[in-house]
């Protein structure tokens, strides 16, 4: 009787731990879904650093200096990534290839929708927000 209580307790504890860990994993991926990879990498490097406006400006200059080089590297990696994807697919059974293909399509759709949220549209939202703020002369005294 005592051993069965212990077993029930251990099983319940494991189940609770597993469900908690699963909930944490879902939260983490949901948080990541809202951020780009670049943003995450920079956030990790600068986590806990309260940047001054001057530092923000200097960091943006550094990013600008490397922007063309990193873009060229990404472009040069495309053929390698395509070959790797083809080799990964070829290593799978026909049944698993179908799921793999669906995953590839889904990833491409997510990337396309993420691109729509970046660039000029993002700058436009910032500019629109700045335009809605009152100027000093518009503030009531």
């Amino acid at each position: 009787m005592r051993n069965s209580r212990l077993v029930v307790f251990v099983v319940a504890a494991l189940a609770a731990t597993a469900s908690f860990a699963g909930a944490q994993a879902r939260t983490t991926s949901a948080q990541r879904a809202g951020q780009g990879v670049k943003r995450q990498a920079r956030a990790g490097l600068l986590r806990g650093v309260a940047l001054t406006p001057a530092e923000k400006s200097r960091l943006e200059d550094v990013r600008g200096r490397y922007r063309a080089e990193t873009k060229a590297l990404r472009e040069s990696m495309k053929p390698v990534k395509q070959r790797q994807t083809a080799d990964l697919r070829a290593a799978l059974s026909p049944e698993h290839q179908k799921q793999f293909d669906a995953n590839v399509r889904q990833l491409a759709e997510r990337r396309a929708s993420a691109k729509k949220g970046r660039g000029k549209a993002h700058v436009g939202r910032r500019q629109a927000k700045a335009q809605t703020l009152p100027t000093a002369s518009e503030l009531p005294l």
Side-chain angles (χ1 to χ4, degrees):
M1 177 94 171
R2 192 172 180 176
N3 285 340
S4 63
R5 284 185 192 169
L6 180 62
V7 169
V8 169
F9 176 74
V10 169
V11 169
L14 288 173
T17 304
S19 66
F20 180 71
Q24 280 186 327
R26 282 189 294 278
T27 302
T28 302
S29 27
Q31 290 169 344
R32 274 190 239 134
Q35 297 181 357
V37 174
K38 294 178 201 172
R39 189 177 193 177
Q40 288 176 17
R42 287 193 296 252
L45 293 173
L46 299 172
R47 183 174 292 131
V49 178
L51 297 172
T52 66
E55 288 173 321
K56 288 179 184 179
S57 177
R58 288 192 302 265
L59 288 175
E60 197 53 43
D61 290 343
V62 170
R63 290 181 188 126
R65 280 184 284 178
Y66 289 96
R67 194 167 285 127
E69 188 177 351
T70 55
K71 184 177 181 179
L73 284 170
R74 278 193 306 273
E75 290 297 320
S76 70
M77 286 296 296
K78 280 185 180 181
V80 174
K81 287 182 179 183
Q82 289 171 344
R83 285 195 316 267
Q84 180 187 29
T85 301
D87 288 346
L88 289 170
R89 185 182 186 281
L92 299 173
S93 68
E95 182 179 311
H96 289 146
Q97 285 178 357
K98 291 176 187 175
Q99 182 62 49
F100 183 85
D101 294 342
N103 292 344
V104 169
R105 280 191 300 277
Q106 187 180 35
L107 183 60
E109 289 168 4
R110 277 190 280 160
R111 283 184 182 146
S113 67
K115 280 186 180 181
K116 289 179 184 177
R118 291 194 308 240
K120 293 179 183 175
H122 182 68
V123 171
R125 285 193 299 264
R126 253 188 281 150
Q127 289 172 344
K129 185 176 181 181
Q131 291 171 355
T132 61
L133 297 175
T135 62
S137 61
E138 296 172 334
L139 292 173
L141 297 174

